[in-house]
Amino acid sequence: MAGTGKAHLRDSPAPILRVENLVIEYSSGRSDPVQAVSNISLELHDGETLAIIGESGCGKSTLGKGILKLVDVTSGSVVFNGVDINTLDKEALRQVRPNFQMIFQDSISSLDPHLTVGRIVRQPLDIWNRGEESERDAKVDELLVSVGLEPKRVKNRKPHEFSGGQCQRISIARALTLEPKVLICDEPVSSLDVSIQAQILNILQEMKVRYGLSLIFISHDLAVVRAISTRILVMYLGKVCEIADPDTLCDSPRHHYTHALVSSVPVPDPTVHRHSAILQGEPPSPTNPPSGCRFRTRCAAATELCATEEPQLRETTPGNYVACHHPRD
Amino acid sequence: MSDLLKITDLAVDFDTTYGKLHAVRGVSIDIAEGESVGIVGESGSGKTVFSRATMGLLRGSSVHRTGQILFEGTEISSLDSKQIREYWGTKIAMIFQDPMTALNPVRRIGAQMSESLIKRLGMSKSEAKDRAIELLTLVKLPEPELALEKYAHQLSGGMRQRVMIAMAIACNPKMLFADEPTTALDVTVQAQVLELLADLRKELGMAMVIITHDLGVVAGYTDRIAVMYGGEIVELASTTDLFTDTKMPYTEALIKSIPRVDRKRGSELSSIEGMPPDPTSNRASCGFADRCPYAVQKCRDEHPQLVDAGNGHSYRCFFPIGGK
């Protein structure tokens, strides 16, 4: 879209999480504030994996953090189970927080280096004072086993003794300790080797089913996202371009930016010759975004209209939405 | 085409507190003029140490290197520090994964670029500036004159990598080593940089070695691919053969574990369970035996040798896929 709109929001069945008109600004000292997330609306349904995809600087991580209220939200609402969490006071927010957890790209630095793995995974239970001592220990063991680690061997070791893939398993176990409803994964596999990446993705899928999670999966890798998500939302410079199911989005993208993204993904097969629509240049600065459609400066199909009017999200085929004045066929 | 680089039985060991770490174990490969070769492997497979050894960058008392590295017939370890400076840039050049740390953060791009042009090629200041602009134009950096006045932090990752490429090709090297050149870049910028490298290779007639963990990156841009695992080459083949006539179970597993954007989603991604082998061990078995679905007792007892299947295709397995 680099456009706006809420045409894609449905009310039934009631979503587990509903984000409406979310705006997140960062002040940048001298100049005007930068809108990292500019009027984004989305819904997460029960049991869904919603992928948020885009290039560096498109605001995807800020959006994830905004949903968890880890950064200050400028305007808009984040409604979880009928309650707008932006309106909650500190204590009420704290009570809601266990329902949301996050795992990060750099798993090693997101684990406290001074604590043993057992302590790291157990700490949320201690803080919330849940269960008896022995129940807590049993819960830690259960979680470690479910992410493919052997409790006896790992519990008394510290994060630096583990590889990146193992640390990501520990992060997942820790995130699930309080049995959250929503797990936000911010590039969880992008610093891992491909063979390990598949292991972690499979664990996430398993955990999702076992613990009844809904996932928001933030990534720049369309191939990964296609393999695991139920819907994909494409972001560009703080706006939504397209929302669709993975097969539709990857096989017949309607937005020109999505098309460019899909064509740029390398395919590990020399016999496949893909029509490569290589995007020229780089995204413009978010401090001074283009008028109208934010993608128009790099779009081959841009017209006068794109400069003057911001495209709104509209439905193309049932459940699939695009924000473009001149969508591809 | 004649062989530009001839590597025979290269091994690199490092002294560590845990004993000798065998980073590269007997790698042999020849690379011809103008050829494009991909070296693929996971973290710790030895691909980066291999490339640094070839560049002559591994020096010091804790490094033990054996085997031969002949570039145009000259063993590079015989070069003294003055000669190796001649070798770098004109014979062989390298670009790195992280262009931010490879560039000097406190000097302007123009100053960094002209330094080598003045010192190496004896250009005057103004000649060097013109040449720098020419090089930046060649790598399709927008507004090259303005870029000369900037610092590295003022450029995006993709632009920095273009500057690195411009500096690498400044002295017309015969071979360019690109160590994970696009790993830190966005996928759209990655496509731009890979296209640029392919164009430059044709234009300048360079040989190119792309070192990466991503088989997808090299599939479209190389003539041959060497797959490394645990410090060894486990399969070497033309790019087409590697994908269509895979012999080595590790290569097969690697290809299968990559999610593909052009395929409908299946039930589960196939992952390679377990971990790569310990780099400090003296291996008596196949390095992949513990993770290989086809492994039998022989694989655990004996270390397989590289088998030549003809047509430039070799593999390191007792029981190759599709038979011998």
Side-chain angles (χ1 to χ4, degrees):
Chain A
M1 99 189 129
T4 306
K6 292 191 282 190
H8 60 296
L9 300 185
R10 294 164 286 163
D11 272 319
S12 64
I16 186 159
L17 187 75
R18 184 182 172 110
V19 174
E20 253 182 272
N21 301 336
L22 195 71
V23 176
I24 300 172
E25 288 180 352
Y26 290 123
S27 61
S28 61
R30 284 165 288 185
S31 48
D32 291 337
V34 176
Q35 268 196 2
V37 171
S38 178
N39 207 2
I40 283 196
S41 304
L42 62 88
E43 279 176 340
L44 181 68
H45 292 273
D46 201 16
E48 188 180 40
T49 301
L50 174 69
I52 299 176
I53 194 152
E55 295 175 274
S56 322
C58 73
K60 57 190 191 297
S61 288
T62 302
L63 174 61
K65 288 179 185 159
I67 293 170
L68 285 176
K69 242 193 144 203
L70 293 175
V71 292
D72 282 333
V73 169
T74 311
S75 65
S77 62
V78 177
V79 179
F80 172 72
N81 275 351
V83 181
D84 181 358
I85 64 167
N86 285 333
T87 62
L88 299 177
D89 64 25
K90 214 172 153 193
E91 183 49 32
L93 180 64
R94 200 178 98 85
Q95 295 298 332
V96 179
R97 277 261 167 85
N99 290 304
F100 302 92
Q101 293 292 326
M102 190 158 184
I103 57 174
F104 301 90
Q105 172 170 0
D106 185 351
S107 51
I108 299 176
S109 67
S110 70
L111 299 174
D112 189 330
H114 301 292
L115 298 184
T116 60
V117 169
R119 280 279 295 146
I120 288 172
V121 178
R122 192 189 143 118
Q123 208 170 29
L125 295 171
D126 293 340
I127 291 171
W128 284 91
N129 206 9
R130 286 199 189 166
E132 300 293 319
E133 286 287 310
S134 60
E135 285 172 359
R136 288 180 202 173
D137 285 336
K139 179 79 186 168
V140 170
D141 287 3
E142 177 208 315
L143 285 164
L144 288 173
V145 169
S146 67
V147 296
L149 297 170
E150 211 178 300
K152 263 195 288 190
R153 284 181 57 187
V154 303
K155 261 165 94 172
N156 294 317
R157 291 158 71 192
K158 292 186 176 171
H160 72 89
E161 296 175 70
F162 295 92
S163 67
Q166 288 171 316
C167 282
Q168 201 56 282
R169 289 168 191 255
I170 298 165
S171 304
I172 295 172
R174 174 185 61 177
L176 298 179
T177 312
L178 293 175
E179 300 178 354
K181 298 279 184 294
V182 177
L183 185 62
I184 298 185
C185 313
D186 191 358
E187 302 263 17
V189 295
S190 44
S191 58
L192 304 176
D193 275 317
V194 276
S195 66
I196 310 294
Q197 169 177 305
Q199 293 175 8
I200 299 296
L201 292 173
N202 287 336
I203 288 176
L204 277 173
Q205 293 284 72
E206 253 178 71
M207 295 301 109
K208 185 183 143 193
V209 176
R210 182 181 305 184
Y211 294 102
L213 301 168
S214 308
L215 297 187
I216 292 181
F217 193 97
I218 299 165
S219 177
H220 69 279
D221 190 336
L222 208 46
V224 164
V225 154
R226 176 168 198 178
I228 61 147
S229 60
T230 36
R231 274 194 306 155
I232 301 176
L233 182 153
V234 181
M235 275 183 82
Y236 185 79
L237 272 188
K239 299 271 186 186
V240 180
C241 296
E242 187 163 4
I243 303 171
D245 66 81
D247 291 342
T248 308
L249 191 101
C250 295
D251 292 336
S252 46
R254 303 298 301 272
H255 199 283
H256 299 275
Y257 178 61
T258 317
H259 176 61
L261 269 186
V262 174
S263 336
S264 309
V265 180
V267 172
D269 185 347
T271 59
V272 175
H273 279 279
R274 297 164 71 237
H275 172 70
S276 190
I278 291 183
L279 213 51
Q280 296 304 312
E282 295 184 27
S285 161
T287 51
N288 185 21
S291 63
C293 173
R294 292 193 174 185
F295 183 61
R296 70 178 164 85
T297 50
R298 299 166 82 195
C299 182
T303 60
E304 196 72 6
L305 177 66
C306 306
T308 53
E309 201 177 303
E310 184 174 6
Q312 300 288 310
L313 274 172
R314 57 194 164 88
E315 192 163 33
T316 48
T317 49
N320 300 323
Y321 300 84
V322 69
C324 179
H325 292 304
H326 314 289
R328 293 165 40 83
D329 294 327
Chain B
M1 281 193 288
S2 58
D3 283 341
L4 194 59
L5 179 69
K6 194 168 175 60
I7 295 175
T8 319
D9 226 9
L10 174 71
V12 182
D13 296 343
F14 296 106
D15 288 332
T16 70
T17 45
Y18 306 106
K20 260 209 169 84
L21 187 149
H22 311 286
V24 176
R25 307 172 182 227
V27 166
S28 301
I29 189 169
D30 301 337
I31 296 169
E33 266 175 45
E35 195 184 19
S36 169
V37 175
I39 297 189
V40 178
E42 296 178 78
S43 324
S45 63
K47 57 191 192 299
T48 294
V49 173
F50 164 79
S51 66
R52 303 225 161 165
T54 312
M55 286 291 294
L57 286 168
L58 295 177
R59 304 191 154 203
S61 57
S62 63
V63 184
H64 308 281
R65 206 211 91 186
T66 55
Q68 264 191 331
I69 304 175
L70 299 178
F71 193 91
E72 292 183 323
T74 312
E75 165 61 49
I76 65 139
S77 65
S78 70
L79 302 173
D80 62 27
S81 60
K82 187 160 180 272
Q83 287 166 322
I84 196 112
R85 280 169 171 259
E86 287 293 313
Y87 172 73
W88 289 333
T90 51
K91 303 287 187 197
I92 193 163
M94 190 164 190
I95 54 175
F96 298 90
Q97 172 172 352
D98 183 355
M100 186 66 213
T101 51
L103 289 169
N104 187 334
V106 296
R107 298 186 68 200
R108 293 179 201 275
I109 299 299
Q112 296 185 53
M113 288 193 71
S114 37
E115 182 181 18
S116 61
L117 296 171
I118 293 168
K119 288 213 167 129
R120 283 297 295 285
L121 303 179
M123 289 185 177
S124 72
K125 244 182 156 175
S126 68
E127 278 171 348
K129 189 181 172 192
D130 291 345
R131 175 70 178 150
I133 291 172
E134 206 178 294
L135 287 165
L136 291 179
T137 313
L138 198 61
V139 298
K140 304 194 178 81
L141 193 81
E143 301 174 327
E145 289 90 348
L146 292 177
L148 291 180
E149 297 303 313
K150 288 189 173 161
Y151 293 97
H153 74 267
Q154 292 171 298
L155 303 176
S156 70
M159 286 155 84
R160 279 181 217 137
Q161 198 56 288
R162 286 175 196 270
V163 171
M164 286 306 300
I165 294 170
M167 290 168 84
I169 60 170
C171 303
N172 292 322
K174 296 199 161 166
M175 180 176 282
L176 182 67
F177 263 86
D179 189 357
E180 301 268 11
T182 58
T183 309
L185 305 177
D186 272 316
V187 58
T188 54
V189 182
Q190 164 170 292
Q192 293 171 6
V193 169
L194 289 172
E195 283 295 317
L196 171 68
L197 285 172
D199 290 349
L200 287 174
R201 191 186 130 228
K202 269 187 225 131
E203 221 166 292
L204 307 174
M206 286 185 297
M208 190 160 75
V209 180
I210 302 180
I211 295 143
T212 178
H213 68 282
D214 188 344
L215 266 174
V217 164
V218 287
Y221 296 94
T222 52
D223 306 322
R224 281 194 300 157
I225 294 177
V227 178
M228 284 189 77
Y229 185 78
E232 296 172 315
I233 290 183
V234 292
E235 185 157 11
L236 173 66
S238 74
T239 303
T240 319
D241 283 354
L242 190 90
F243 285 95
T244 55
D245 184 23
T246 313
K247 292 285 184 203
M248 182 70 198
Y250 175 66
T251 312
E252 182 193 51
L254 206 56
I255 294 172
K256 277 193 186 162
S257 70
I258 307 175
R260 291 182 56 160
V261 76
D262 59 340
R263 292 262 172 89
K264 291 229 182 329
R265 65 212 205 97
S267 52
E268 204 177 64
L269 279 169
S270 56
S271 61
I272 311 177
E273 291 308 321
M275 307 284 293
D278 177 7
T280 55
S281 74
N282 286 311
R283 217 171 286 148
S285 61
C286 167
F288 190 56
D290 291 343
R291 309 172 79 187
C292 180
Y294 312 110
V296 297
Q297 196 54 41
K298 185 177 185 187
C299 309
R300 297 185 187 95
D301 295 341
E302 270 178 68
H303 187 75
Q305 298 302 311
L306 212 54
V307 179
D308 189 351
N311 206 12
H313 194 156
S314 50
Y315 57 87
R316 196 182 284 276
C317 183
F318 295 119
F319 308 102
I321 297 159
K324 292 195 183 182

